[in-house]
Amino acid sequence: MNITDLLRRLENLIRLGTIAAVDHQAARCTVKSGGLSIPNLPWLALRAGDSSDWDPPTVGEQCILVAPSGEQAQGVALVGLYSQQRPAPANSANVRRRIYPDGAVIDYDHASHTLSATLPDGGQAQLTAPGGVTILGNVDITGTVTVSEDVLAAGISLVNHVHSGVQSGPSTTGAPQ
């Protein structure tokens, strides 16, 4: 190996770049760095084992290209660098924030112990838990609650409860006391 080849490899070990294209099916991306375009590169995911994450890079996102032995075709894109075009979404030491392209925001503030999710107009939240859902603490709901079977309050069924001291007929009962 000559000195020119060694210098080229050394220069190519670590380079700043930008995501130029993303192949979601193959989980690969193309990185532009200087005048070079390096296709078919994996990007770093937080987890890729029994527990795994899917959070593909975005075209225009800055990255670091790490290329073992200076061979860029064998490189890996380390994504997640803030830039003037894509600044940090928060500036608090206490907040973990995730912002989505449609405007949805999920925050957890560990100082105030507050989890919040804000969805854009028309957004919906769905929770599927065949084993049930338990909420400890007070719940405030603004809007309509629709229940397909029954509601129990202090063991009293909304569907099957009866009122004592009321005669059947066309009359109605008084307000709850």
Side-chain angles (χ1 to χ4, degrees):
M1 188 175 299
N2 63 37
I3 192 74
T4 304
D5 190 45
L6 284 173
L7 290 173
R8 178 191 62 78
R9 286 175 180 256
L10 183 61
E11 182 179 306
N12 288 331
L13 281 175
I14 301 172
R15 295 180 67 120
L16 288 175
T18 304
I19 302 297
V22 179
D23 181 343
H24 295 98
Q25 294 299 318
R28 294 286 188 263
C29 64
T30 299
V31 172
K32 284 195 175 246
S33 180
L36 302 173
S37 180
I38 306 97
N40 202 34
L41 298 174
W43 61 81
L44 178 69
L46 293 179
R47 293 297 312 266
D50 288 343
S51 183
S52 64
D53 291 320
W54 175 253
D55 192 6
T58 303
V59 170
E61 183 175 356
Q62 285 189 333
C63 66
I64 297 172
L65 175 60
V66 178
S69 300
E71 293 296 333
Q72 293 177 337
Q74 302 301 315
V76 175
L78 308 179
V79 295
L81 303 177
Y82 299 126
S83 66
Q84 287 183 339
Q85 293 80 19
R86 298 179 184 275
N91 61 3
S92 168
N94 302 323
V95 173
R96 168 108 190 222
R97 173 171 288 166
R98 179 67 178 236
I99 296 180
Y100 293 88
D102 66 353
V105 179
I106 299 174
D107 281 344
Y108 181 68
D109 185 327
H110 61 88
S112 67
H113 316 293
T114 304
L115 175 67
S116 64
T118 305
L119 302 179
D121 288 345
Q124 297 181 4
Q126 179 178 340
L127 174 64
T128 302
V133 175
T134 300
I135 299 173
L136 302 175
N138 297 330
V139 177
D140 294 320
I141 298 173
T142 302
T144 301
V145 175
T146 302
V147 178
S148 62
E149 293 182 26
D150 198 356
V151 174
L152 299 177
I156 300 171
S157 164
L158 179 64
V159 174
N160 296 313
H161 75 280
V162 293
H163 295 262
S164 60
V166 178
Q167 292 182 346
S168 7
S171 299
T172 58
T173 62
Q177 296 181 11

